[in-house]
């Protein structure tokens, strides 16, 4: 086959979001765009939801004359620190904070989504028509969207909304630890349709003129034909494959493993929160390490079963049992995560988790409690609640129909 | 096929060993022999290494007139408490403490081995010729026997020594928690050659007269022909299958899952200690929960790889990633186990683990340090050290050739 020419263009990267985790991911990505100038444009755009911040007065890092509130984007671009969401961490100078999401994504081939899931819909709408049609996304947003009738992945939602393919990143990733460059691992799932590797692909100068034969229908993770007709990446860019995404995200302190299983990676980050509640329950009950480990084991298997049952052959058990996004993230969440801690507190105090959410979280809901509720109503619609005894035990304890003491008997039925 | 008659005999159970874990297992087993009188003889013999104990003076549980040292077996049989190794736990009255191991195993069809592994050789020798030739064993002894040239399972060692088939029990099982009837899970591996299910089998009255055609050569877990010629269980006993062992060991607070993979179950309980050292190292270094979870994930995969490489097709990845003897036991060991704690302490204090063993354990060696050394020399003999970067990192840190800071880089090579 004739070579259509070596890549002459570089990938431009935008991080959409700039919270605690968004800023941390931007730091990682910007370190790598600088380290690999032959593949990436050095500057990384980071979309910042603009707000006003006041600089800490007594820090020698900041201009003493700075008085009164300033724009967060101005502060980040001047001091290279996200003083509000990732304080005391030096950001690379090639992160460019941008208050306009439309301007931030301009000409970017790689869009990294890392914002609260509540914003996905609005941002996708804003971006319509403003991104490169052949861009690719990676969603770092944990969780899935469950209704009683359907489960959708945030990566799917983003991909559908923008008409692009979007993968997912998830792992045992407490942002503050990674920002301090303490070692951790992550999992990135990326499995676009074959279109990206087909030859010949059009060069970018052709792309706007044609619906090329290389553009293809996009089957989603459940094998359904998506509405999205994917545009092929022009051949003058380095191919967007596993090796490239590993280059973009892997750091000496942040180890990346690439997989194909987008659904498994996304589900792990959502379902683990239900298991973490159960782990908190038995720990709060004083049952010790054996029981906590048993909960995690049973929970892990229900996660695998759920993935295989509702996302079919695209889901691999190994994504849950062998990758950072599965077993490792579960372990972290059952050690010091919010869901675990609040569930434990509820049992120790003899109050409901609802009550703990009120007193400890100002009424904010835990991810685990809403996921437990959503997953339960999804399973009810399908008559499958009893096949997931641990998930069922959690919602039944949350809603007062069972107590922690019932857990061993309830989960034993699955093995009977 | 003609039925040779329903079972008319009951299984008699002996627990060989009476330490902390041995007494706990005896409690479980005795509760079940009492609960299922149609299958088991109620009394459970427990071999006790005889020693003299002095009863606590101020307890109302004991005879006030008891003065001076008494025999441990006498105390257990009178007060139904192992005051030395499992104090304050009421043992079932149908546990019969017996100082003679030969007398304890007489006529028993099920032998549960639960004693320090240093005693296996001596006890097997003592028992030679004194057990029922068609008895079956379950080893609750954690660990494997590694030399630079070979790995053998304790269950194999016992089986070979006694000429019987021996399975294995292992799990996230901190004995004291189970003795208090806090919920936990365990895994029992039992996969004897087909002989036990063959028909016709001789009745027990025939068994001593014939080497029946139903007796067979026994292939060990690596497919080698064992020296042991197994004797078939007489048909007048209930069959010794997965269901029967589950009935014998499963309690409302002690959940049993049965598997076939004896090697996987045994290896899990040994190799986890190497991983627990590594988890202690990174935790002691202050790297937090991400790093600890990463170590456990990497370690789990090396455990799977090791099992598959040296025990072939009989080992299933799922034994490590899905069962209590694998992932759950690893989690427990990396939470509060001795190997984890001492490794953590060593890094925090900036001293060697060797030093911590001296100051904290009176010079007693941790299981993890000796297993790490043995496994390393075994892998060296096979030129396979570099394929297990985490196991290698642990021995290299123990012996001063690497530091904790090298771990991320060392394990990354496996993914490169």
């Amino acid at each position: 086959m004739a070579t259509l020419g070596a890549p002459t263009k570089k990938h431009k990267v935008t991080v959409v979001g700039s919270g605690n985790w968004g800023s941390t991911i931007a730091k990682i990505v910007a370190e790598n765009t600088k380290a690999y100038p032959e593949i990436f444009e050095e500057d990384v755009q980071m979309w910042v939801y603009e707000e006003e911040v006041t600089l800490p007065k007594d820090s020698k890092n900041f201009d003493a004359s700075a008085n009164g509130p300033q724009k967060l984007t101005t502060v980040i671009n001047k001091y290279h620190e996200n003083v509000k969401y990732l304080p005391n961490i030096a950001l690379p100078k090639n992160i460019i904070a941008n208050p306009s999401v439309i301007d931030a994504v301009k000409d970017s081939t790689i869009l990294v989504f890392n914002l609260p899931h509540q914003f996905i819909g609005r941002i996708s709408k804003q971006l319509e028509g403003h991104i490169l049609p052949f861009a690719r996304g990676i969603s770092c947003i944990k969780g899935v969207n469950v209704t009683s009738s359907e489960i959708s992945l945030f990566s799917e939602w983003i991909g559908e909304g923008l008409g692009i393919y979007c993968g997912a990143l998830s792992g045992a990733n407490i942002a503050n630890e990674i920002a301090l460059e303490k070692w951790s691992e992550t999992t990135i799932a990326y499995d676009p349709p074959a279109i990206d590797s087909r030859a010949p692909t059009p060069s970018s100068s052709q792309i706007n003129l044609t619906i090329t034969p290389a553009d293809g229908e996009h089957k989603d993770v459940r094998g359904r034909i998506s509405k999205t007709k994917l545009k092929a990446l022009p051949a003058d860019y380095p191919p967007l494959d596993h090796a490239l995404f590993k280059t973009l995200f892997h750091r000496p302190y942040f180890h990346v493993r690439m997989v194909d299983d987008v659904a498994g990676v996304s589900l792990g980050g959502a379902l683990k929160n239900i298991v973490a509640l159960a782990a908190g329950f038995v720990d709060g009950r004083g049952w010790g390490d054996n029981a906590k480990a048993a909960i995690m084991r049973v929970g892990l298997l229900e996660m695998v079963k759920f993935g295989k049952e509702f996302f079919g052959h695209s889901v691999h058990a190994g994504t849950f049992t062998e990758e950072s996004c599965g077993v490792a993230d579960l372990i972290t969440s059952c050690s010091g995560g919010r869901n675990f801690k609040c569930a434990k507190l509820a049992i120790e105090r003899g109050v409901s988790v609802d009550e703990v959410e009120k007193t400890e979280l100002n009424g904010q809901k835990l991810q685990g409690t809403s996921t437990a509720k959503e997953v339960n109503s999804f399973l009810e619609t399908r008559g499958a609640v009893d096949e997931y005894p641990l998930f069922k035990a959690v919602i039944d304890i949350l809603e007062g129909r069972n107590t922690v003491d019932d857990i061993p008997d309830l989960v034993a039925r699955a093995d009977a």
Side-chain angles (χ1 to χ4, degrees), chain A:
Chain A
M1 246 180 271
T3 307
L4 287 176
T8 54
K9 295 202 158 194
K10 297 176 182 184
H11 287 290
K12 185 182 167 195
V13 185
T14 297
V15 177
V16 181
S18 56
N20 188 241
W21 184 215
S23 301
T24 303
I25 279 290
K27 174 178 180 291
I28 288 168
V29 161
E31 286 167 0
N32 279 326
T33 57
K34 193 177 165 73
Y36 300 97
E38 68 286 8
I39 308 176
F40 303 108
E41 290 188 20
E42 185 171 322
D43 281 356
V44 170
Q45 290 282 322
M46 176 169 79
W47 172 62
V48 175
Y49 181 83
E50 189 70 286
E51 55 188 301
E52 302 221 308
V53 295
T54 307
L55 292 178
K57 277 225 173 70
D58 46 355
S59 169
K60 61 175 188 290
N61 294 330
F62 305 108
D63 191 344
S65 68
N67 244 333
Q70 304 185 44
K71 288 190 168 142
L72 182 54
T73 51
T74 310
V75 171
I76 293 173
N77 289 331
K78 185 169 177 189
Y79 299 107
H80 311 292
E81 181 179 327
N82 186 336
V83 293
K84 178 141 188 192
Y85 298 105
L86 195 60
N88 305 314
I89 299 293
L91 295 177
K93 298 200 168 79
N94 56 324
I95 293 180
I96 313 298
N98 191 332
S100 159
V101 71
I102 290 172
D103 191 59
V105 299
K106 192 167 177 285
D107 297 331
S108 284
T109 45
I110 301 176
L111 307 174
V112 180
F113 293 89
N114 203 332
L115 70 174
H117 67 88
Q118 302 88 323
F119 294 126
I120 295 176
R122 195 202 311 166
I123 291 295
S124 296
K125 223 170 180 58
Q126 272 186 269
L127 290 181
E128 238 183 284
H130 296 285
I131 61 167
L132 287 182
F134 50 81
R136 297 289 179 260
I138 295 287
S139 162
C140 304
I141 308 161
K142 282 205 183 174
V144 294
N145 207 26
V146 192
T147 66
S148 60
S149 64
E150 223 196 4
I151 298 177
S152 60
L153 313 179
F154 291 149
S155 57
E156 287 181 299
W157 190 7
I158 293 167
E160 290 286 332
L162 298 176
I164 62 171
Y165 177 81
C166 186
L169 178 155
S170 185
N173 294 152
I174 299 165
N176 287 329
E177 293 183 3
I178 298 167
L180 290 167
E181 305 192 359
K182 294 178 178 183
W183 177 53
S184 75
E185 295 187 315
T186 203
T187 315
I188 299 177
Y190 189 77
D191 186 31
I195 173 174
D196 275 359
S197 54
R198 270 189 225 164
T201 46
S203 75
S204 61
S205 56
Q206 296 176 283
I207 197 76
N208 293 328
L209 302 172
T210 49
I211 303 285
T212 77
D215 298 338
E217 277 178 327
H218 172 207
K219 280 191 185 176
D220 72 9
V221 288
R222 274 156 294 187
R224 298 177 311 205
I225 303 296
S226 160
K227 282 158 284 182
T228 306
K229 289 229 177 202
L230 279 190
K231 301 283 177 294
L233 181 78
D236 41 10
Y237 283 98
L240 278 175
D241 53 15
H242 278 195
L244 188 130
F245 280 107
K246 185 157 180 174
T247 304
L248 181 60
F249 286 98
H250 191 89
R251 296 295 299 158
Y253 60 88
F254 190 66
H255 288 191
V256 170
R257 302 234 309 177
M258 300 294 309
V259 301
D260 286 336
D261 179 4
V262 180
V265 167
S266 305
L267 285 169
L271 299 175
K272 60 150 194 183
N273 290 321
I274 308 180
V275 185
L277 288 174
F281 290 153
V282 303
D283 207 36
R285 185 71 182 74
W287 282 351
D289 286 342
N290 291 344
K292 193 171 147 185
I295 286 288
M296 289 161 77
R297 189 197 72 77
V298 172
L300 194 58
L301 294 196
E302 289 195 15
M303 287 162 66
V304 171
K305 182 177 159 69
F306 189 94
K308 286 193 161 288
E309 187 156 350
F310 301 111
F311 288 83
H313 62 276
S314 83
V315 164
H316 306 290
T319 309
F320 298 93
T321 60
E322 300 179 3
E323 301 298 339
S324 180
C325 60
V327 60
D329 194 16
L330 179 66
I331 289 170
T332 305
S333 299
C334 292
S335 299
R338 253 158 61 122
N339 293 283
F340 170 76
K341 279 182 181 164
C342 290
K344 182 175 174 176
L345 217 53
I347 302 303
E348 283 172 350
R349 293 183 183 167
V351 299
S352 66
V353 173
D354 206 48
E355 185 65 28
V356 173
E357 287 173 330
K358 274 182 203 135
T359 56
E360 306 297 313
L361 305 175
N362 269 322
Q364 206 194 327
K365 300 308 260 184
L366 290 164
Q367 280 201 292
T369 56
S370 49
T371 306
K373 210 184 184 85
E374 288 162 5
V375 163
N376 184 65
S377 100
F378 174 86
L379 289 171
E380 259 177 1
T381 307
R382 279 155 185 76
V385 169
D386 292 332
E387 294 168 42
Y388 298 84
L390 184 68
F391 292 171
K392 182 174 190 306
V394 170
I395 189 73
D396 284 347
I397 291 168
L398 287 174
E399 298 183 348
R401 288 183 295 275
N402 278 122
T403 72
V404 182
D405 288 348
D406 300 322
I407 288 181
D409 188 39
L410 292 171
V411 301
R413 290 179 200 167
D415 281 335

